[in-house]
Amino acid sequence: HSASDSLFVHILTMATMRLPTLFLALILALHPLSGVLAFAPPPAAAAARSCYPSSSTSIAASSSTSDNDAFTIMMPSSSARNNTRKAFLQSMITAAATATVAMQPIAAANAATTQAASSFLGTYSDPINHPGGTRTITLIDGAATGDYQLAQVNGGGGRGEPKEYTLPAVIFGDRAIVIDFSPKGGPRDFAGVLESDGSIKFLRDGNRWPRL
């Protein structure tokens, strides 16, 4: 090995008494000499080395320093190290590609849900219960799961209601919306459906919000 490689092995041997195991493993993974570590008590070191190919390099730390020094570092040949790196990189590439493919149907489904929910977007009035007021429905970005799209209703300004308020809501495809009116003292699960004329009809009391 070159002088830089020998220096790396020497630093690695001295650092094991001071560095956490995970940090030491990270250094090994990043260094070009990274290979296979085998930790064993000094009596087993010879047996461990005897099982390794003769082309490999084995370095045994002195057992007289401390108990923490009792390990054996066995490094495979350069071709074995290259094969290990190639296999690791290939496995990472395969895993990333698999995850990307698996996420595509989910992303497509969520996009379709958002597209369907956009049918409820717009500003409405409430001429029967709160004349003069408006209700604007907007979607919450990135909040679609399956057939559900989170939304909110920004309203107010009508007779007998606050000047402004925000109500959480859930839209089911392009069919129905459930609004939580509890912030303004109403029911938590007031459901409505989208009519053919673009208005929202609430099922519980038959009230309508015409689209403006």
Side-chain angles (χ1 to χ4, degrees):
H1 296 292
S2 65
S4 62
D5 293 341
S6 300
L7 178 60
F8 169 73
V9 172
H10 175 70
I11 294 174
L12 176 62
T13 303
M14 297 300 295
T16 52
M17 294 183 293
R18 299 176 177 84
L19 295 178
T21 303
L22 290 177
F23 189 46
L24 180 60
L26 178 61
I27 294 177
L28 284 172
L30 295 176
H31 193 272
L33 280 179
S34 59
V36 179
L37 281 180
F39 294 87
R49 290 195 300 272
S50 66
C51 297
Y52 221 74
S54 58
S55 60
S56 302
T57 301
S58 300
I59 303 172
S62 174
S63 60
S64 61
T65 305
S66 69
D67 292 339
N68 292 331
D69 292 335
F71 67 91
T72 300
I73 304 176
M74 294 181 294
M75 295 183 179
S77 62
S78 59
S79 61
R81 293 197 302 272
N82 290 336
N83 290 337
T84 300
R85 291 194 189 98
K86 290 179 180 178
F88 174 75
L89 290 175
Q90 184 61 45
S91 66
M92 294 299 292
I93 293 172
T94 301
T98 301
T100 300
V101 172
M103 289 298 293
Q104 287 176 350
I106 298 176
N110 291 344
T113 297
T114 299
Q115 179 64 32
S118 64
S119 300
F120 283 87
L121 292 176
T123 300
Y124 302 79
S125 64
D126 188 1
I128 297 176
N129 292 336
H130 303 284
T134 60
R135 291 92 175 85
T136 300
I137 298 177
T138 58
L139 305 182
I140 298 177
D141 292 338
T145 302
D147 201 28
Y148 310 132
Q149 168 70 53
L150 296 185
Q152 63 183 23
V153 181
N154 297 310
R159 188 175 66 195
E161 67 175 354
K163 182 177 180 180
E164 58 182 27
Y165 53 81
T166 298
L167 308 177
V170 178
I171 298 175
F172 298 83
D174 60 353
R175 305 182 302 277
I177 184 171
V178 176
I179 304 174
D180 179 3
F181 281 91
S182 61
K184 58 175 298 191
R188 298 180 60 88
D189 54 352
F190 216 62
V193 294
L194 194 64
E195 298 283 85
S196 58
D197 62 358
S199 64
I200 297 176
K201 177 183 178 180
F202 292 95
L203 304 178
R204 188 174 302 180
D205 62 359
N207 185 38
R208 289 177 181 268
W209 284 1
R211 190 189 293 267
L212 297 178

